[in-house]
Coordinates of all heavy atoms in Angstrom, one line a residue:
Y223 N 101.4 63.3 69.9 CA 101.0 64.7 70.4 C 100.2 64.7 71.6 O 99.4 63.7 71.8 CB 100.2 65.4 69.2 CG 101.1 65.6 68.0 CD1 101.0 64.7 66.9 CD2 102.0 66.6 68.0 CE1 101.8 64.8 65.8 CE2 102.8 66.7 66.8 CZ 102.7 65.9 65.8 OH 103.5 66.0 64.7
A224 N 100.3 65.6 72.5 CA 99.7 65.6 73.8 C 98.4 66.4 73.8 O 98.2 67.4 74.5 CB 100.7 66.2 74.8
N225 N 97.5 65.9 73.0 CA 96.1 66.4 73.1 C 95.8 67.8 72.7 O 95.2 68.5 73.4 CB 95.6 66.1 74.5 CG 94.1 66.0 74.5 OD1 93.4 65.8 73.5 ND2 93.5 66.3 75.7
P226 N 96.3 68.3 71.5 CA 96.0 69.5 71.0 C 94.4 69.6 70.7 O 93.8 68.6 70.6 CB 96.8 69.8 69.8 CG 97.2 68.4 69.4 CD 97.2 67.5 70.6
D227 N 93.8 70.8 70.6 CA 92.4 70.9 70.4 C 91.9 70.8 69.0 O 90.8 70.3 68.8 CB 91.9 72.3 71.0 CG 92.2 72.4 72.5 OD1 91.8 71.4 73.2 OD2 92.8 73.4 72.9
L228 N 92.7 71.3 68.0 CA 92.2 71.4 66.7 C 93.2 70.9 65.6 O 94.5 71.1 65.9 CB 91.8 72.8 66.3 CG 90.9 73.6 67.2 CD1 90.9 75.1 66.9 CD2 89.4 73.0 67.0
W229 N 92.8 70.5 64.5 CA 93.7 70.4 63.3 C 93.2 71.4 62.2 O 92.0 71.4 61.9 CB 93.6 69.0 62.7 CG 94.4 68.9 61.4 CD1 93.9 68.9 60.2 CD2 95.8 68.7 61.3 NE1 94.8 68.8 59.2 CE2 96.0 68.7 59.9 CE3 96.8 68.6 62.2 CZ2 97.3 68.6 59.4 CZ3 98.1 68.5 61.7 CH2 98.3 68.4 60.3
V230 N 94.1 72.2 61.7 CA 93.7 73.2 60.7 C 94.6 72.9 59.5 O 95.8 72.9 59.6 CB 93.9 74.6 61.2 CG1 93.7 75.6 60.1 CG2 93.1 74.9 62.5
D231 N 94.0 72.7 58.4 CA 94.7 72.4 57.1 C 95.6 73.6 56.8 O 95.2 74.7 56.9 CB 93.8 72.2 55.9 CG 93.1 70.8 56.0 OD1 93.6 69.9 56.7 OD2 92.0 70.6 55.4
G232 N 96.8 73.3 56.5 CA 97.8 74.3 56.1 C 98.5 74.9 57.4 O 99.5 75.6 57.2
I233 N 98.0 74.6 58.6 CA 98.6 75.1 59.8 C 99.1 74.0 60.6 O 100.2 74.0 61.2 CB 97.6 75.9 60.7 CG1 97.0 77.1 59.8 CG2 98.2 76.4 62.0 CD1 98.0 78.2 59.5
G234 N 98.3 72.9 60.8 CA 98.7 71.8 61.7 C 97.8 71.9 63.0 O 96.7 72.4 62.9
F235 N 98.4 71.3 64.0 CA 97.7 71.3 65.3 C 97.6 72.7 65.9 O 98.6 73.4 65.8 CB 98.3 70.3 66.2 CG 98.2 68.9 65.8 CD1 99.2 68.1 65.4 CD2 96.9 68.3 66.0 CE1 99.0 66.8 65.1 CE2 96.7 66.9 65.7 CZ 97.7 66.2 65.2
V236 N 96.5 73.0 66.5 CA 96.3 74.2 67.2 C 95.7 73.9 68.6 O 94.8 73.1 68.8 CB 95.3 75.1 66.5 CG1 95.0 76.4 67.2 CG2 95.8 75.5 65.0
D237 N 96.3 74.5 69.6 CA 95.8 74.3 71.0 C 95.2 75.6 71.5 O 95.9 76.7 71.4 CB 96.9 73.9 71.9 CG 96.4 73.3 73.2 OD1 95.6 72.4 73.2 OD2 96.8 73.9 74.2
V238 N 94.0 75.6 72.0 CA 93.3 76.8 72.5 C 93.7 77.0 74.0 O 93.5 76.1 74.8 CB 91.8 76.7 72.3 CG1 91.0 77.9 72.8 CG2 91.4 76.4 70.8
K239 N 94.1 78.2 74.3 CA 94.4 78.5 75.7 C 93.7 79.7 76.1 O 93.4 80.7 75.3 CB 95.9 78.9 75.8 CG 96.9 77.7 75.4 CD 96.8 76.6 76.3 CE 97.9 75.6 76.0 NZ 97.8 74.4 76.9
S240 N 93.1 79.7 77.3 CA 92.3 80.8 77.8 C 92.8 81.3 79.2 O 92.3 81.0 80.3 CB 90.9 80.4 78.0 OG 90.3 80.0 76.8
P241 N 94.0 82.0 79.1 CA 94.6 82.5 80.4 C 93.7 83.5 81.1 O 93.0 84.2 80.5 CB 95.9 83.0 80.0 CG 95.8 83.4 78.6 CD 94.7 82.5 78.0
K242 N 93.9 83.5 82.5 CA 93.2 84.5 83.3 C 93.9 85.9 83.2 O 93.2 86.9 83.4 CB 93.1 84.1 84.7 CG 92.1 82.9 84.8 CD 91.9 82.5 86.3 CE 91.0 81.3 86.3 NZ 90.8 80.8 87.6
E243 N 95.2 85.9 83.0 CA 95.9 87.2 83.0 C 96.6 87.3 81.6 O 97.1 86.3 81.0 CB 97.0 87.2 84.0 CG 96.5 87.1 85.4 CD 95.8 88.3 86.0 OE1 96.0 89.4 85.3 OE2 95.1 88.2 87.0
T244 N 96.7 88.5 81.0 CA 97.4 88.6 79.8 C 98.9 88.3 79.9 O 99.4 87.9 78.9 CB 97.2 90.1 79.3 OG1 97.8 91.0 80.2 CG2 95.8 90.5 79.0
T245 N 99.4 88.5 81.1 CA 100.8 88.2 81.2 C 101.1 86.7 81.2 O 102.3 86.3 81.1 CB 101.3 88.7 82.6 OG1 100.5 88.2 83.7 CG2 101.3 90.3 82.6
N246 N 100.1 85.8 81.2 CA 100.3 84.4 81.0 C 100.3 83.9 79.6 O 100.4 82.7 79.4 CB 99.3 83.6 81.9 CG 99.5 83.9 83.4 OD1 100.6 84.2 83.9 ND2 98.4 83.7 84.2
C247 N 100.1 84.8 78.7 CA 99.9 84.4 77.3 C 101.1 83.7 76.7 O 101.1 82.6 76.1 CB 99.5 85.5 76.4 SG 97.9 86.2 76.8
C248 N 102.3 84.2 77.0 CA 103.5 83.6 76.5 C 103.8 82.3 77.1 O 104.1 81.3 76.4 CB 104.7 84.6 76.7 SG 106.3 84.0 76.0
R249 N 103.6 82.1 78.4 CA 103.7 80.8 79.0 C 102.8 79.8 78.4 O 103.1 78.6 78.1 CB 103.5 80.9 80.5 CG 103.6 79.6 81.3 CD 103.4 79.8 82.8 NE 102.2 80.5 83.0 CZ 101.1 79.9 83.6 NH1 101.2 78.7 84.0 NH2 100.0 80.6 83.7
N250 N 101.6 80.2 78.1 CA 100.5 79.3 77.6 C 100.9 78.9 76.1 O 100.8 77.8 75.7 CB 99.1 79.9 77.6 CG 98.5 79.8 79.0 OD1 97.6 79.1 79.1 ND2 99.0 80.6 79.9
A251 N 101.4 79.9 75.3 CA 101.9 79.6 74.0 C 103.0 78.7 73.9 O 103.1 77.7 73.2 CB 102.2 80.9 73.3
N252 N 103.9 78.9 74.9 CA 105.1 78.0 74.9 C 104.7 76.6 75.3 O 105.3 75.6 74.8 CB 106.2 78.5 75.9 CG 106.9 79.7 75.4 OD1 106.9 80.0 74.2 ND2 107.4 80.5 76.3
H253 N 103.8 76.4 76.2 CA 103.3 75.1 76.5 C 102.6 74.4 75.3 O 102.8 73.2 75.1 CB 102.3 75.2 77.7 CG 101.8 73.8 78.1 ND1 100.6 73.3 77.6 CD2 102.3 72.9 78.9 CE1 100.4 72.1 78.1 NE2 101.4 71.8 78.9
A254 N 101.8 75.1 74.6 CA 101.2 74.6 73.4 C 102.3 74.1 72.4 O 102.2 73.0 71.9 CB 100.3 75.6 72.7
S255 N 103.3 74.9 72.2 CA 104.3 74.6 71.3 C 105.2 73.5 71.7 O 105.4 72.5 71.0 CB 105.1 75.8 70.9 OG 106.1 75.5 70.0
K256 N 105.7 73.6 72.9 CA 106.7 72.7 73.4 C 106.1 71.3 73.8 O 106.6 70.2 73.5 CB 107.5 73.2 74.6 CG 108.7 72.5 75.0 CD 109.4 73.3 76.1 CE 110.6 72.4 76.6 NZ 111.3 73.2 77.7
E257 N 105.0 71.3 74.6 CA 104.4 70.1 75.1 C 103.4 69.4 74.2 O 103.2 68.3 74.2 CB 103.8 70.4 76.5 CG 104.7 71.0 77.5 CD 105.9 70.1 77.8 OE1 105.7 68.8 77.9 OE2 107.0 70.6 78.1
Q258 N 102.7 70.3 73.4 CA 101.7 69.8 72.5 C 101.9 69.8 71.1 O 101.2 69.4 70.2 CB 100.3 70.4 72.9 CG 99.9 70.2 74.4 CD 98.7 70.8 74.7 OE1 98.6 72.1 74.8 NE2 97.7 70.0 75.0
Y259 N 103.2 70.4 70.7 CA 103.6 70.5 69.3 C 102.5 71.2 68.5 O 102.2 70.8 67.4 CB 103.9 69.1 68.7 CG 104.9 68.3 69.6 CD1 104.4 67.3 70.4 CD2 106.2 68.7 69.7 CE1 105.3 66.6 71.2 CE2 107.1 68.0 70.5 CZ 106.6 67.0 71.3 OH 107.5 66.3 72.0
A260 N 101.9 72.2 69.0 CA 100.8 72.9 68.4 C 101.0 74.4 68.4 O 101.6 75.0 69.2 CB 99.5 72.6 69.2
C261 N 100.4 75.0 67.4 CA 100.3 76.5 67.3 C 99.3 76.9 68.3 O 98.4 76.1 68.8 CB 99.7 76.7 65.9 SG 99.7 78.4 65.4
V262 N 99.4 78.1 68.8 CA 98.5 78.5 69.9 C 97.3 79.4 69.4 O 97.5 80.2 68.4 CB 99.2 79.2 71.0 CG1 99.7 80.6 70.6 CG2 98.4 79.3 72.3
C263 N 96.2 79.2 70.0 CA 95.1 80.2 69.8 C 94.7 80.6 71.2 O 94.2 79.8 72.0 CB 93.9 79.5 69.2 SG 92.4 80.6 69.0
L264 N 95.0 81.9 71.5 CA 94.7 82.5 72.8 C 93.3 83.2 72.7 O 92.9 83.8 71.7 CB 95.7 83.5 73.1 CG 97.1 82.9 73.3 CD1 98.2 84.0 73.1 CD2 97.3 82.2 74.7
T265 N 92.5 83.1 73.8 CA 91.3 83.7 73.9 C 91.3 84.7 75.1 O 92.0 84.6 76.0 CB 90.1 82.7 74.1 OG1 90.2 82.2 75.5 CG2 90.2 81.6 73.1
N266 N 90.4 85.7 74.9 CA 90.3 86.7 76.0 C 89.1 86.5 76.9 O 88.9 87.3 77.8 CB 90.3 88.1 75.4 CG 88.9 88.5 74.8 OD1 88.3 87.6 74.1 ND2 88.5 89.7 75.0
H267 N 88.3 85.4 76.7 CA 87.0 85.3 77.5 C 87.3 85.0 79.0 O 86.4 85.1 79.8 CB 86.1 84.3 76.8 CG 86.5 82.9 77.0 ND1 87.3 82.2 76.2 CD2 86.1 82.0 77.9 CE1 87.4 80.9 76.6 NE2 86.7 80.8 77.7
S268 N 88.5 84.5 79.3 CA 88.8 84.2 80.7 C 89.6 85.4 81.4 O 89.9 85.3 82.6 CB 89.5 82.9 80.9 OG 88.7 81.8 80.5
F269 N 90.0 86.3 80.7 CA 90.8 87.5 81.3 C 90.0 88.1 82.4 O 88.8 88.4 82.2 CB 91.1 88.5 80.3 CG 92.2 88.2 79.2 CD1 92.4 89.0 78.1 CD2 93.0 87.0 79.3 CE1 93.3 88.6 77.2 CE2 93.9 86.7 78.5 CZ 94.1 87.6 77.3
K270 N 90.6 88.3 83.4 CA 90.0 89.0 84.6 C 89.4 90.4 84.1 O 88.3 90.7 84.5 CB 90.9 89.2 85.7 CG 91.2 87.9 86.5 CD 92.2 88.2 87.6 CE 92.5 86.9 88.3 NZ 93.5 87.0 89.4
S271 N 90.2 91.1 83.3 CA 89.7 92.4 82.8 C 88.8 92.4 81.6 O 88.1 93.3 81.3 CB 91.0 93.3 82.4 OG 91.5 92.7 81.3
K272 N 88.7 91.2 81.0 CA 87.9 91.0 79.8 C 88.3 91.8 78.5 O 87.7 91.6 77.5 CB 86.4 91.1 80.1 CG 85.8 90.3 81.1 CD 85.7 88.9 80.7 CE 85.0 88.0 81.7 NZ 85.3 86.7 81.7
V273 N 89.3 92.7 78.8 CA 89.7 93.5 77.7 C 91.2 93.4 77.4 O 91.9 93.2 78.4 CB 89.4 95.0 78.1 CG1 90.0 96.0 77.0 CG2 87.9 95.3 78.3
I274 N 91.5 93.4 76.1 CA 92.9 93.4 75.8 C 93.1 94.5 74.7 O 92.3 94.5 73.7 CB 93.5 92.0 75.3 CG1 94.9 92.1 75.1 CG2 92.7 91.5 74.1 CD1 95.6 90.8 74.9
T275 N 94.0 95.4 74.9 CA 94.3 96.4 74.0 C 95.1 96.0 72.8 O 95.8 95.0 72.9 CB 94.9 97.6 74.7 OG1 96.3 97.2 75.1 CG2 94.1 98.1 75.9
E276 N 95.2 96.8 71.7 CA 96.0 96.4 70.6 C 97.5 96.4 71.0 O 98.2 95.6 70.6 CB 95.8 97.5 69.5 CG 94.5 97.3 68.8 CD 94.2 96.0 68.1 OE1 95.1 95.4 67.5 OE2 93.1 95.4 68.3
K277 N 97.9 97.4 71.9 CA 99.2 97.4 72.4 C 99.5 96.1 73.2 O 100.6 95.6 73.0 CB 99.4 98.6 73.3 CG 100.7 98.7 74.0 CD 101.8 99.2 73.1 CE 103.1 99.5 73.9 NZ 104.2 98.7 73.6
Q278 N 98.6 95.7 74.0 CA 98.8 94.4 74.7 C 99.0 93.2 73.7 O 99.8 92.4 74.0 CB 97.7 94.2 75.8 CG 97.8 95.1 76.9 CD 96.5 94.9 77.8 OE1 95.4 94.9 77.3 NE2 96.7 94.6 79.1
L279 N 98.2 93.2 72.7 CA 98.3 92.2 71.7 C 99.7 92.2 71.1 O 100.3 91.1 70.9 CB 97.2 92.3 70.6 CG 95.8 91.8 71.0 CD1 94.9 92.2 69.8 CD2 95.9 90.3 71.0
E280 N 100.1 93.3 70.7 CA 101.4 93.5 70.1 C 102.5 93.0 71.1 O 103.4 92.3 70.7 CB 101.7 94.9 69.7 CG 100.8 95.4 68.5 CD 101.0 96.9 68.3 OE1 102.0 97.5 68.9 OE2 100.2 97.5 67.7
D281 N 102.4 93.4 72.3 CA 103.5 93.0 73.3 C 103.4 91.6 73.6 O 104.5 90.9 73.7 CB 103.2 93.8 74.6 CG 103.5 95.3 74.5 OD1 104.1 95.7 73.5 OD2 103.0 96.0 75.4
R282 N 102.2 91.0 73.7 CA 102.1 89.5 73.9 C 102.7 88.7 72.7 O 103.4 87.8 72.9 CB 100.7 89.0 74.2 CG 100.1 89.7 75.4 CD 100.6 89.3 76.8 NE 102.0 89.5 77.1 CZ 102.4 90.6 77.7 NH1 101.6 91.6 78.1 NH2 103.7 90.7 78.0
N283 N 102.3 89.2 71.4 CA 102.9 88.5 70.3 C 104.3 88.6 70.2 O 105.1 87.6 70.0 CB 102.2 89.1 69.0 CG 100.8 88.6 68.8 OD1 100.3 87.7 69.4 ND2 100.1 89.3 67.9
R284 N 104.9 89.7 70.5 CA 106.4 90.0 70.5 C 107.1 89.0 71.5 O 108.0 88.4 71.2 CB 106.7 91.4 70.8 CG 108.2 91.7 70.6 CD 108.5 93.2 70.8 NE 107.6 94.1 70.0 CZ 106.7 94.9 70.6 NH1 106.5 94.9 71.9 NH2 105.9 95.7 69.9
A285 N 106.5 88.9 72.7 CA 107.1 88.1 73.7 C 107.1 86.6 73.2 O 108.0 85.8 73.5 CB 106.3 88.2 75.0
I286 N 105.9 86.2 72.6 CA 105.9 84.8 72.1 C 106.9 84.6 71.0 O 107.6 83.6 71.0 CB 104.5 84.5 71.6 CG1 103.5 84.5 72.8 CG2 104.4 83.2 70.9 CD1 102.0 84.6 72.5
W287 N 107.0 85.5 70.0 CA 107.9 85.3 68.9 C 109.3 85.2 69.3 O 110.1 84.5 68.7 CB 107.8 86.5 67.8 CG 106.5 86.6 67.1 CD1 105.8 87.7 66.9 CD2 105.7 85.6 66.5 NE1 104.6 87.5 66.2 CE2 104.6 86.1 65.9 CE3 105.9 84.1 66.4 CZ2 103.6 85.4 65.3 CZ3 104.9 83.4 65.7 CH2 103.8 84.1 65.1
I288 N 109.7 86.0 70.4 CA 111.2 86.0 70.7 C 111.5 84.8 71.7 O 112.6 84.6 71.9 CB 111.6 87.3 71.4 CG1 110.9 87.6 72.7 CG2 111.5 88.5 70.4 CD1 111.4 88.8 73.5
S289 N 110.5 84.1 72.2 CA 110.7 83.0 73.0 C 111.4 81.8 72.2 O 111.0 81.5 71.1 CB 109.3 82.5 73.6 OG 109.6 81.2 74.2
D290 N 112.4 81.1 72.8 CA 113.0 80.0 72.2 C 112.1 78.8 72.1 O 112.4 77.8 71.4 CB 114.3 79.7 73.0 CG 115.4 80.7 72.8 OD1 115.4 81.4 71.7 OD2 116.2 80.9 73.7
D291 N 111.0 78.8 72.9 CA 110.1 77.7 73.0 C 109.0 77.6 72.1 O 108.3 76.6 72.0 CB 109.6 77.4 74.5 CG 110.7 77.1 75.4 OD1 111.7 76.3 75.0 OD2 110.7 77.6 76.6
Y292 N 108.8 78.8 71.4 CA 107.6 78.8 70.5 C 108.1 78.6 69.0 O 108.9 79.4 68.5 CB 106.9 80.1 70.5 CG 105.5 80.0 69.9 CD1 104.4 79.3 70.5 CD2 105.3 80.6 68.6 CE1 103.2 79.2 69.8 CE2 104.1 80.4 67.9 CZ 103.0 79.7 68.6 OH 101.8 79.6 68.0
H293 N 107.8 77.5 68.4 CA 108.3 77.0 67.1 C 107.4 77.1 66.0 O 107.6 76.5 64.9 CB 108.8 75.6 67.3 CG 109.7 75.4 68.5 ND1 111.0 75.8 68.5 CD2 109.5 74.8 69.7 CE1 111.6 75.6 69.6 NE2 110.7 74.9 70.4
H294 N 106.4 77.9 66.1 CA 105.4 77.9 65.0 C 105.4 79.3 64.3 O 105.8 80.3 64.8 CB 104.0 77.5 65.6 CG 104.0 76.2 66.1 ND1 103.9 75.0 65.3 CD2 104.2 75.8 67.4 CE1 104.0 74.0 66.2 NE2 104.2 74.4 67.4
E295 N 104.8 79.2 63.1 CA 104.8 80.5 62.3 C 103.6 81.4 62.6 O 103.5 82.5 62.1 CB 104.8 80.1 60.8 CG 106.1 79.5 60.3 CD 107.3 80.4 60.6 OE1 107.3 81.6 60.2 OE2 108.3 80.0 61.2
Y296 N 102.6 80.9 63.3 CA 101.4 81.6 63.5 C 101.0 81.6 65.0 O 101.3 80.7 65.7 CB 100.2 81.0 62.7 CG 100.4 81.1 61.2 CD1 100.9 80.1 60.5 CD2 100.1 82.3 60.6 CE1 101.1 80.1 59.1 CE2 100.3 82.4 59.2 CZ 100.8 81.3 58.5 OH 101.0 81.5 57.1
I297 N 100.4 82.7 65.3 CA 99.6 82.8 66.6 C 98.2 83.2 66.3 O 98.0 84.2 65.4 CB 100.2 84.0 67.5 CG1 101.6 83.7 67.9 CG2 99.4 84.2 68.8 CD1 102.4 84.9 68.5
F298 N 97.3 82.6 66.8 CA 95.8 83.0 66.7 C 95.3 83.6 67.9 O 95.7 83.2 69.0 CB 95.0 81.7 66.3 CG 95.3 81.1 65.0 CD1 96.3 80.1 64.9 CD2 94.7 81.5 63.9 CE1 96.5 79.5 63.7 CE2 95.0 81.0 62.6 CZ 95.9 80.0 62.5
W299 N 94.4 84.5 67.8 CA 93.8 85.2 68.9 C 92.3 85.1 68.6 O 91.8 85.5 67.6 CB 94.1 86.6 69.1 CG 95.5 86.8 69.8 CD1 96.7 86.9 69.1 CD2 95.7 87.0 71.1 NE1 97.7 87.1 70.0 CE2 97.2 87.1 71.3 CE3 95.0 87.0 72.3 CZ2 97.8 87.4 72.5 CZ3 95.6 87.2 73.5 CH2 96.9 87.4 73.6
L300 N 91.4 84.7 69.6 CA 90.0 84.8 69.5 C 89.6 85.9 70.5 O 89.6 85.7 71.7 CB 89.3 83.4 69.8 CG 87.8 83.4 69.7 CD1 87.4 83.6 68.2 CD2 87.3 82.1 70.2
I301 N 89.3 87.0 69.9 CA 89.0 88.2 70.7 C 87.5 88.6 70.5 O 87.1 89.0 69.4 CB 89.9 89.4 70.4 CG1 91.3 89.1 70.4 CG2 89.6 90.6 71.2 CD1 91.9 88.7 71.8
D302 N 86.8 88.5 71.6 CA 85.3 88.8 71.5 C 84.7 88.2 70.3 O 83.9 88.8 69.6 CB 85.2 90.4 71.5 CG 85.7 91.0 72.8 OD1 85.7 90.3 73.8 OD2 86.3 92.1 72.7
G303 N 84.9 87.0 70.0 CA 84.3 86.2 69.0 C 84.9 86.4 67.6 O 84.4 85.8 66.6
T304 N 85.9 87.2 67.5 CA 86.6 87.4 66.1 C 87.9 86.7 66.2 O 88.7 87.0 67.0 CB 86.8 88.9 65.9 OG1 85.5 89.5 65.9 CG2 87.4 89.2 64.6
L305 N 88.2 85.9 65.2 CA 89.4 85.2 65.1 C 90.5 86.0 64.3 O 90.2 86.5 63.2 CB 89.3 83.8 64.4 CG 90.5 82.9 64.3 CD1 90.9 82.5 65.7 CD2 90.2 81.7 63.5
R306 N 91.6 86.2 64.9 CA 92.7 86.9 64.2 C 93.9 86.0 64.1 O 94.2 85.2 65.0 CB 93.1 88.1 65.1 CG 92.1 89.1 65.4 CD 92.6 90.2 66.3 NE 91.6 91.2 66.6 CZ 91.9 92.4 67.1 NH1 93.2 92.7 67.2 NH2 91.0 93.3 67.4
K307 N 94.6 86.2 63.0 CA 95.8 85.3 62.7 C 97.0 86.2 62.5 O 96.9 87.1 61.7 CB 95.5 84.5 61.4 CG 96.6 83.7 60.9 CD 96.1 82.9 59.6 CE 97.2 82.3 58.9 NZ 96.7 81.8 57.6
Y308 N 98.0 85.9 63.2 CA 99.3 86.7 63.1 C 100.4 85.8 62.6 O 100.6 84.7 63.2 CB 99.7 87.3 64.5 CG 98.6 88.3 65.0 CD1 97.6 87.9 65.8 CD2 98.7 89.6 64.7 CE1 96.6 88.7 66.2 CE2 97.8 90.5 65.1 CZ 96.7 90.1 65.9 OH 95.8 91.0 66.4
K309 N 101.1 86.2 61.6 CA 102.3 85.5 61.1 C 103.6 86.0 61.7 O 103.7 87.2 61.9 CB 102.3 85.6 59.6 CG 103.4 84.7 58.9 CD 103.2 84.6 57.5 CE 104.2 83.8 56.7 NZ 105.2 83.0 57.4
R310 N 104.5 85.1 62.0 CA 105.8 85.5 62.5 C 106.4 86.5 61.6 O 106.4 86.3 60.4 CB 106.6 84.2 62.6 CG 108.0 84.5 63.3 CD 108.9 83.2 63.3 NE 108.3 82.2 64.2 CZ 108.6 82.2 65.5 NH1 109.4 83.1 66.1 NH2 108.1 81.2 66.3
P311 N 107.0 87.6 62.2 CA 107.6 88.6 61.4 C 108.9 88.1 60.8 O 109.5 87.2 61.2 CB 107.9 89.8 62.4 CG 107.5 89.2 63.7 CD 106.9 87.9 63.6

């Protein structure tokens, strides 16, 4: 494995990504999955706007789920200190 950040029992490897733009979330998730064989945990602390709406979360998750490069059942988000877990629909 190419240096993922965490091991979570029942999930496996998790790689934390902090993109500057919400539009980079899918690319970061795909990198975690394809290059690091890890589930992704995205954070909003580096976003230029510092804010992500529920609609943006839904859109980003949808883009990740439909990607052929994301092979995991979960996406994690750390939003303003609160960890959220989303399961593949």
Side-chain angles (χ1 to χ4, degrees):
Y223 298 100
N225 203 22
D227 296 312
L228 307 166
W229 172 264
V230 177
D231 286 339
I233 300 294
F235 288 107
V236 177
D237 195 57
V238 179
K239 301 290 188 184
S240 301
K242 291 183 180 179
E243 301 286 343
T244 60
T245 54
N246 293 337
C247 292
C248 187
R249 181 179 52 114
N250 280 254
N252 288 339
H253 181 267
S255 181
K256 190 174 178 183
E257 302 298 325
Q258 299 181 290
Y259 308 104
C261 189
V262 73
C263 178
L264 296 158
T265 72
N266 73 323
H267 77 272
S268 291
F269 287 168
K270 287 180 182 175
S271 67
K272 299 291 184 204
V273 175
I274 186 166
T275 66
E276 290 299 319
K277 175 76 168 113
Q278 287 173 309
L279 278 172
E280 290 173 17
D281 291 346
R282 299 289 65 90
N283 284 344
R284 188 176 309 109
I286 293 167
W287 294 135
I288 64 172
S289 169
D290 290 335
D291 291 325
Y292 195 76
H293 307 290
H294 299 278
E295 292 301 310
Y296 295 98
I297 299 169
F298 293 92
W299 284 89
L300 183 63
I301 306 294
D302 300 326
T304 300
L305 186 63
R306 299 180 183 196
K307 178 179 165 185
Y308 296 88
K309 185 168 180 5
R310 184 181 290 275

